[in-house]
C-alpha cells in the first residue's frame, strides 16, 4: 500500500468536500467489504447518524472510536440490521455488501446475519452447554448434517477462538460456567462457527480484565486473516494496537476515517487530534 | 463545630427506637397472620379429621325371600335401626345379582346410620336412651367400632351423611381442570408470546394489554354469566358438565396465565435474544430455542397457580349448574358433575349435624390438593431454573 498516494488522495478529498468525512480511497489495494453511503438514522425524532460514508475493507480490523453517545454502536448495528429490533428506528442511505443494499426489501435479515456475525459488549453465551453454544447456529443454518462434521466444526471454531485447550474436557458443561474472558471467546467461537464474512464487535473487551483483553486482542489479530472485523472501542490504545483502519465518530458523524497509523500519529482533523490526545471525550 | 460520639449517640437513640418499633410491629403482624393460620388449620383438622372415621356395626344378614323386596327384612329388627338405610337398600339388588345368596346368612360389618356415628363421636344426635344403651353394649362386645372411612373416598354425594363421599367431586374437579388446562394453557401462552415477542407497540396492543389486566380483576361470578350465555345458551354445551365448567374456568384462568407468562418472558434477559438474533435466528427460533426454555419454569409456576385458583372457585360454577347433587362419578366430559369446592358448599348447606364434619373433611381434601399443586409449582421452578 502506498500511503503517500493515499494521503494525497485524502487531502484532496477533504479540500473538495469540506465538512464531509474523509474517506480512504480504494487505491490502497484492499478489497471492499462493506460500502456505506449517506447513512442517516433516527430514533424517533432524534437523529443519531448523519450522512455516514465509509468503506470497510476485507480482512482488516476497522476500529470505531469516539466519545460516548457518538453513534458508533448504532452504526455498527446498521451493518447486520440489529436496529430492526428497536422500535421507531428510521434509516436512510445505503449499506452495500456485494453491491446490494442490506436494507432493501428483498434482503432477508437472517441471511445478512449469517454473513455478518456479532460479538457483544457483555459476554452473552446461551444458557446451554459449551458445545451447544457453538453447534447451535451451524445446525440451524444446515451447515453441518453429520455428527462427525458437527464435532469437527465445533472443535475448529473453538480452536480458532483460542478456547479449545481450555474447554475440550468439559464441552458439556454450561457455557455460563466459564470465566468472563472465556465466555467472550465462546461468543466469538459461536460467531465464527457459521463462517461469516464480517464480524462486528461492540466493545468486546470493556467487561473484561486486562489479561483477557490482551487475549482477545491477539485473537482479533489472528482472526483478521479469515474475517473482516469491525470493532467499537472506548480504549484508544486498543484501537492503536489492533486496528488497521480507524474511524472517529462525533455526534453521529464520521469526522475522520484513516489508516490507524496516520490517525494516531498525524490526524488530519483538529477534533480527532483533540480526542486522541485526550483533550475531550 | 464537631460533635463528640456521645452527642451523636444521644441523637441516634430516637432513630434506633423508631426502627426497633417498626421491627416489632412487622413481627407482630407476622405473628397475627401465623396465629390465624394455626387457628384455621387446627379448627379444620379438629372438625374434619373425624370425617375420615366412620362407625361400623357387625350384623347378621339373613338373605331371605322377604329381603328380596325389602332389604330391612334381612336384618334383626333390633339392630336394623342402627344400620344405614343405604345398606338396607343394597340387599335386594345383591340377592338379584347372585341367586345363590338366597337362603344363606352372613356376618358382616356394615355402615351404621349417621346418628349412631355422631353419638360415638360425642356429637349431638337424636337417639333415644334405649338405643344409646344398646350401642354402648355392642361397643363393649366389639360389635360396633370406628373404622377408616373408605366410603368417603370411594363414593359420590348422598343424602345419607354416612354414605356421602368426595369421590364424584374429586373426579369432577380433575375433569374440569383438564378442560381448563387444555384450553387456557396453549391459548394463554401463545397470546403472551405474541404480545411480548411479536406484537408492535401501538394503541391496539396497549388496549389489549389493559383489558387483559382488567380481566384478571373481574369478579369471578361474571365469568359464570359469560359461560352461561356463550357456552350453554349459544353453543349448547351440556349444563353442569365438566366441559362447560372447564371452559368457564378457562376464561377466568386465561388472564392469569397470560400475565404470568409475559412476566416470565420479560425476565429473560434481552442479551440472550440479541445473541440469538445475531447468529441468524428467525424470531420464532429465538422464542422456541432460547426464550421459552428459560421462561418455562415461570410459565409453569404461573399456570399451576392459576389452575389452583380456578380449582378453588365456586361462584362461576353455580351459574353453569355445577353446584348440584351428584351421587355418581361422572364418566364423560358432558355428564353432570360437581367439583370439590362446590361439594363443600353443598354439604355446608345440609341441616344434619353429620354433614359438618363432611364439610370440614372436604375442605381438608381440597386444601391437600391445593398444597400439593403449589408444592409441584415450587418444585418445577427449582428443577428447571437455569442460570444465565
Amino acid at each position: 500500500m502506498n500511503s503517500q498516494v493515499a494521503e494525497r488522495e485524502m487531502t484532496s478529498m477533504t479540500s473538495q468536500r469540506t465538512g464531509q468525512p474523509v474517506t480512504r480511497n480504494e487505491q490502497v489495494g484492499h478489497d471492499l467489504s462493506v460500502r456505506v453511503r449517506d447513512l442517516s438514522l433516527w430514533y424517533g425524532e432524534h437523529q443519531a447518524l448523519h450522512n455516514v460514508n465509509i468503506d470497510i475493507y476485507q480482512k482488516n480490523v476497522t476500529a470505531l472510536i469516539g466519545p460516548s453517545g457518538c453513534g458508533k454502536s448504532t452504526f455498527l448495528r446498521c451493518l447486520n440490521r440489529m436496529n430492526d429490533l428497536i422500535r421507531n428506528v428510521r434509516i436512510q442511505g445505503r449499506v452495500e455488501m456485494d453491491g446490494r443494499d442490506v436494507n432493501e426489501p428483498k434482503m432477508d435479515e437472517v441471511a445478512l446475519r449469517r454473513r455478518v456475525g456479532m460479538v457483544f459488549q457483555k459476554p452473552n453465551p446461551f444458557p446451554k452447554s459449551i458445545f451447544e453454544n457453538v453447534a447451535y447456529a451451524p445446525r440451524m443454518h444446515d451447515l453441518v448434517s453429520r455428527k462427525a462434521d458437527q464435532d469437527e466444526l465445533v472443535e475448529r471454531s473453538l480452536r480458532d477462538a483460542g478456547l479449545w485447550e481450555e474447554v475440550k474436557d468439559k464441552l458439556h458443561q454450561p457455557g455460563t460456567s466459564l470465566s468472563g474472558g472465556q465466555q467472550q471467546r465462546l461468543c466469538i467461537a459461536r460467531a465464527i462457527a457459521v463462517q461469516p464474512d464480517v464480524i462486528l464487535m461492540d466493545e468486546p473487551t470493556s467487561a473484561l480484565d486486562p489479561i483477557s483483553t490482551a487475549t482477545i486482542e491477539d485473537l482479533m489479530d489472528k482472526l483478521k486473516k479469515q474475517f473482516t472485523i469491525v470493532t467499537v472501542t472506548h480504549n484508544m490504545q486498543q484501537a492503536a494496537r489492533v486496528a488497521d483502519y480507524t474511524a472517529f465518530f462525533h455526534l453521529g458523524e464520521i469526522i475522520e476515517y484513516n489508516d490507524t497509523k496516520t490517525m494516531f500519529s498525524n490526524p488530519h482533523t483538529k477534533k480527532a487530534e483533540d480526542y486522541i490526545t485526550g483533550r475531550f471525550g | 463545630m464537631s460533635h463528640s460520639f456521645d452527642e451523636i449517640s444521644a441523637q441516634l437513640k430516637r432513630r434506633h427506637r423508631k426502627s426497633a418499633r417498626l421491627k416489632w410491629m412487622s413481627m407482630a403482624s407476622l405473628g397475627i397472620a401465623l396465629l390465624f393460620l394455626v387457628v384455621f388449620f387446627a379448627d379444620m383438622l379438629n372438625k374434619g379429621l373425624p370425617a375420615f372415621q366412620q362407625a361400623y356395626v357387625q350384623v347378621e344378614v339373613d338373605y331371605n325371600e322377604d329381603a328380596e323386596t325389602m332389604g330391612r327384612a334381612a336384618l334383626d329388627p333390633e339392630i336394623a335401626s342402627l344400620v344405614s338405610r343405604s345398606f338396607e337398600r343394597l340387599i335386594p339388588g345383591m340377592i338379584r345379582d347372585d341367586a345363590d345368596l338366597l337362603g344363606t346368612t352372613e356376618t358382616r360389618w356394615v355402615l351404621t346410620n349417621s346418628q349412631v356415628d355422631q353419638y360415638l363421636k360425642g356429637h349431638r344426635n337424636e337417639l333415644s336412651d334405649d338405643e344409646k344403651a344398646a350401642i354402648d353394649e355392642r361397643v363393649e362386645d366389639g360389635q360396633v367400632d370406628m373404622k377408616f372411612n373408605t366410603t368417603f373416598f370411594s363414593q359420590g354425594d348422598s343424602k345419607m351423611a354416612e354414605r356421602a363421599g368426595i369421590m364424584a367431586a374429586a373426579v369432577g374437579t380433575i375433569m374440569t381442570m383438564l378442560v381448563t388446562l387444555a384450553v387456557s394453557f396453549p391459548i394463554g401462552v401463545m397470546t403472551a408470546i405474541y404480545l411480548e415477542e411479536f406484537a408492535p407497540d401501538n394503541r391496539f396492543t396497549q388496549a389489549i394489554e389493559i383489558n387483559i389486566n382488567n380481566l384478571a380483576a373481574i369478579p369471578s361470578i361474571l365469568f359464570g354469566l359469560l359461560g352461561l350465555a356463550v357456552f350453554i345458551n349459544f353453543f349448547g354445551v351440556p349444563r353442569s358438565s365438566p366441559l362447560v365448567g372447564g371452559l368457564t374456568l378457562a376464561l377466568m384462568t386465561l388472564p392469569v396465565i397470560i400475565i404470568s407468562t409475559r412476566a416470565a418472558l420479560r425476565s429473560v434477559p434481552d442479551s440472550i435474544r440479541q445473541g440469538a438474533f445475531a447468529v441468524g435466528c428467525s424470531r420464532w427460533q429465538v422464542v422456541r430455542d432460547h426464550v421459552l426454555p428459560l421462561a418455562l419454569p415461570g410459565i409453569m409456576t404461573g399456570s399451576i397457580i392459576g389452575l389452583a385458583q380456578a380449582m378453588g372457585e365456586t361462584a362461576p360454577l353455580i351459574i353453569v349448574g355445577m353446584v348440584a347433587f351428584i351421587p355418581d362419578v361422572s364418566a364423560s366430559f358432558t355428564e353432570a358433575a360437581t367439583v370439590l369446592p362446590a361439594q363443600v358448599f353443598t354439604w355446608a348447606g345440609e341441616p344434619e349435624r353429620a354433614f359438618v364434619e363432611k364439610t370440614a373433611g372436604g375442605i381438608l381434601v381440597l386444601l391437600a390438593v391445593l398444597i400439593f399443586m403449589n408444592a409441584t409449582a415450587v418444585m418445577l421452578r427449582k428443577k428447571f431454573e437455569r442460570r444465565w
Side-chain angles (χ1 to χ4, degrees), chain B residues 228-290:
Chain B
L228 174 68
V230 176
F231 298 128
I232 297 181
N233 290 346
F234 188 74
F235 287 109
V237 179
R239 170 163 70 84
S240 304
S241 63
L243 186 59
V244 72
L247 289 171
T248 306
L249 292 180
L251 291 181
M252 217 190 82
T253 315
L254 257 179
V256 180
I257 293 187
I258 294 173
I259 290 170
S260 59
T261 302
R262 291 190 68 178
L265 292 173
R266 219 171 301 154
S267 74
V268 175
D270 228 21
S271 64
I272 299 290
R273 289 187 188 81
Q274 301 247 342
F277 276 121
V279 296
C281 284
S282 66
R283 227 165 234 282
W284 172 235
Q285 283 168 325
V286 172
V287 172
R288 190 194 58 197
D289 296 345
H290 302 283

Side-chain angles (χ1 to χ4, degrees), chain A residues 77 80 82 84-85 87 110 113-114 116-118 120 122 124-128 136-137 140-141 174 176-177 190-191 194, chain B residues 195-196 198-201 271-283 285-286 288-290 293-294 386-388:
Chain A
R77 296 161 66 89
N80 67 343
M82 285 298 269
D84 287 13
L85 305 178
R87 278 161 188 158
V110 170
R113 290 179 196 141
R114 199 163 93 55
V116 184
M118 189 161 191
F120 296 84
K122 213 171 138 243
N124 61 346
F126 298 136
K128 301 175 190 286
Y136 172 77
M140 180 180 67
H141 292 300
T176 43
S177 67
R190 176 177 78 186
V194 294
Chain B
L195 286 175
E196 203 55 40
F198 292 91
D201 189 19
S271 64
I272 299 290
R273 289 187 188 81
Q274 301 247 342
F277 276 121
V279 296
C281 284
S282 66
R283 227 165 234 282
Q285 283 168 325
V286 172
R288 190 194 58 197
D289 296 345
H290 302 283
L294 289 176
R386 274 200 272 182
R387 248 163 21 91
W388 52 67

Side-chain angles (χ1 to χ4, degrees), chain A residues 180-197:
Chain A
Q182 288 174 325
Q183 286 190 23
Q184 195 61 302
R185 278 179 282 151
L186 180 60
C187 291
I188 293 175
R190 176 177 78 186
I192 62 184
V194 294
Q195 284 131 28
D197 299 308

